[in-house]
Amino acid sequence: MRTQKDSVLTVSTAEGRALWVSTIAFTVCFAVWTIFAIIGIRIKAELGLSETEFGLLAGTPILTGSLARVFLGIWTDRYGGRLIFTLNMLAASVATALLVFAQTYPEMLLAALGIGLAGGSFAVGIAYVSRFYQKGQQGTVLGIFGAGNVGAAVTKFLAPFALVAWGWHAVALIWAAVLAVMAIIFWFTTTDDPITAERRRTGDTPKAYAMELAPLKDIRVWRFSLYYFFTFGAFVALALWLPRYLIGVHGFDIETAGMIAAAYSVPASIFRAYGGVLSDRIGARTVMYWCFAVSAAATLALSVPPTDYVMHGTNGLITRHFEIGPLVFVGIAFVLGFFMSIGKAAVYKHIATYYPDNVGSVGGLVGMIGGLGGFVLPIAFGFLNQVTGLWTSCFMLLFAIVMTLFIWMHVSIRRMEKNAAKSPGARESLIPVGGQA
């Protein structure tokens, strides 16, 4: 039911429109999803919030978007992505507009829960787009779709200027209006995916919910989920936290902090498409090794706090100061963002390869766990900042997470390789058709 492998990825074809319009729609959704990274700073000042309270506010939409991904993914498998994507965008648009009526912290949190629906669009788009393409193309097309993460950078670039000019209420209303317009454009420019169209033509009923959820019993799904906890969850967490970090560490104003934070968000989004291409060509497993290794090195370097030390020299004491300056910080953040981006694509290449008939449910679960990282980690960053008094404690936590996953992945792969050597039939589950896993 998918198009041929040589399908042209242009808007002149139904599959091309599904890919590119979905990618633009997801970009807008992601911009709305991370809106508190900018307006939350102004709300924090107005309400006198603590660091932990700010982390909770910024992470609450991530919680909703993460939890919503499971049922939205299942609904997409059952009812089609065109319908679910449109309704989801409209619901998130209404919630974002209602934010302007919130006056207290609990009301802000309640509105943030509704805004989080925008993040659930990822599970919808992944399931919708994947149905138009064959396995050999899915790493590439899902990488292109996932590049919609660049919406976080859009918010970093534009929201600070709108915030300074018109206030945070105006930012919320503008973002809500754009999302509503995008929903209308999406509905009128796309078509139902081939599976949904065929099901409606023949009158077939969707699979039972038990069958949709059956693959979730596979331990491998949960391992992929934790990979995504870092590659995506940590990306979202840093996208939310970096403006606050840069203001606190380097004393930048909100416009400058937003621009610098975007230097991290852009590569962590756009290069996801390249990660999909790499996963198709050299295998998702190889990409994951590179992702974890470089991310470990980058987070370790960023973990080092500004330090003064004293050495006993031949002519007396020698004092030195070490600190990672803003330019070096931006450079390392760029590298970190790049390798996290290709890792995100590699995770979903695994899913499209192993679970082609359950991309909605499996992708929804993996997306949920990854999104929960975007909820939990900003809160953890704020808590560690208060407890340790070290701004770099957030990168210490990320280093510990990525090293744990790196070791677990390597041990799991070695175990599978040994089993495959003992039983040739096991090799099929180790390396599926279309590349490494």
Side-chain angles (χ1 to χ4, degrees):
M1 293 187 181
R2 296 179 175 87
T3 58
Q4 295 302 312
K5 189 173 182 178
D6 59 354
S7 297
V8 180
L9 305 181
T10 66
V11 294
S12 63
T13 62
E15 61 270 19
R17 286 193 299 275
L19 172 60
W20 294 109
V21 178
S22 294
T23 301
I24 296 171
F26 180 52
T27 301
V28 176
C29 286
F30 214 92
V32 171
W33 200 33
T34 56
I35 192 173
F36 281 107
I38 299 300
I39 70 172
I41 295 174
R42 182 63 57 83
I43 294 172
K44 177 181 183 297
E46 289 183 2
L47 300 182
L49 305 180
S50 67
E51 296 292 347
T52 303
E53 287 174 329
F54 170 74
L56 178 60
L57 178 63
T60 295
I62 312 306
L63 174 64
T64 309
S66 303
L67 296 178
R69 289 181 176 191
V70 174
F71 66 79
L72 286 174
I74 294 174
W75 286 352
T76 301
D77 281 343
R78 294 174 66 85
Y79 307 116
R82 180 168 173 253
L83 174 64
I84 301 302
F85 209 154
T86 302
L87 293 177
N88 188 62
M89 283 190 281
L90 290 174
S93 174
V94 172
T96 306
L98 291 176
L99 176 64
V100 301
F101 297 102
Q103 300 294 326
T104 65
Y105 183 62
E107 291 174 349
M108 295 287 181
L109 291 177
L110 184 61
L113 287 172
I115 293 171
L117 290 173
S121 62
F122 177 75
V124 181
I126 284 289
Y128 174 64
V129 171
S130 68
R131 287 182 168 182
F132 285 92
Y133 297 92
Q134 295 179 338
K135 289 183 179 179
Q137 292 178 296
Q138 286 180 343
T140 299
V141 298
L142 295 184
I144 292 172
F145 172 78
N149 289 165
V150 76
V154 172
T155 290
K156 303 288 196 319
F157 275 122
L158 301 180
F161 299 100
L163 176 68
V164 172
W166 304 304
W168 70 263
H169 293 84
V171 176
L173 290 175
I174 294 170
W175 266 232
V178 173
L179 185 56
V181 172
M182 189 67 241
I184 296 171
I185 294 174
F186 179 84
W187 176 258
F188 286 105
T189 58
T190 59
T191 60
D192 286 327
D193 63 81
I195 293 178
T196 300
E198 179 66 14
R199 183 184 296 153
R200 288 177 178 171
R201 187 185 68 82
T202 60
D204 289 344
T205 58
K207 292 185 295 184
Y209 280 107
M211 294 181 64
E212 294 279 6
L213 297 173
L216 305 188
K217 299 177 182 178
D218 187 351
I219 187 62
R220 185 166 46 198
V221 172
W222 296 91
R223 181 159 55 88
F224 295 160
S225 297
L226 292 177
Y227 293 173
Y228 207 60
F229 181 90
F230 175 78
T231 58
F232 176 74
F235 157 71
V236 173
L238 287 175
L240 295 170
W241 185 254
L242 279 181
R244 177 75 187 107
Y245 179 93
L246 292 168
I247 291 172
V249 174
H250 299 291
F252 294 132
D253 57 37
I254 191 169
E255 296 97 327
T256 305
M259 295 289 285
I260 295 176
Y264 162 78
S265 299
V266 169
S269 306
I270 294 177
F271 290 119
R272 182 168 182 163
Y274 181 60
V277 174
L278 281 179
S279 297
D280 282 339
R281 291 180 179 176
I282 67 175
R285 185 191 308 157
T286 301
V287 174
M288 289 306 305
Y289 267 113
W290 276 101
C291 167
F292 285 158
V294 177
S295 295
T299 52
L300 178 61
L302 295 176
S303 295
V304 181
T307 304
D308 292 306
Y309 56 96
V310 179
M311 298 175 288
H312 293 270
T314 57
N315 297 317
L317 299 179
I318 302 174
T319 60
R320 290 290 184 270
H321 175 76
F322 173 81
E323 182 177 358
I324 294 179
L327 291 180
V328 176
F329 179 90
V330 171
I332 297 176
F334 186 96
V335 173
L336 176 63
F338 173 81
F339 280 92
M340 291 175 80
S341 71
I342 65 173
K344 286 183 285 188
V347 172
Y348 271 85
K349 172 63 176 178
H350 282 86
I351 295 170
T353 300
Y354 281 111
Y355 310 100
D357 298 323
N358 299 92
V359 174
S361 57
V362 176
L365 175 69
V366 172
M368 181 191 76
I369 300 299
L372 286 177
F375 169 71
V376 173
L377 290 175
I379 300 174
F381 293 167
F383 176 75
L384 287 174
N385 192 30
Q386 286 184 253
V387 171
T388 66
L390 296 174
W391 280 103
T392 59
S393 58
C394 59
F395 295 106
M396 297 176 188
L397 174 60
L398 293 181
F399 173 73
I401 292 173
V402 71
M403 281 304 301
T404 300
L405 292 175
F406 195 177
I407 295 171
W408 185 21
M409 179 182 72
H410 184 67
V411 170
S412 298
I413 291 173
R414 291 299 300 271
R415 184 183 299 114
M416 288 190 295
E417 289 175 339
K418 290 181 180 179
N419 292 337
K422 294 178 182 178
S423 176
R427 184 170 297 275
E428 183 178 355
S429 63
L430 176 64
I431 305 178
V433 177
Q436 300 176 23

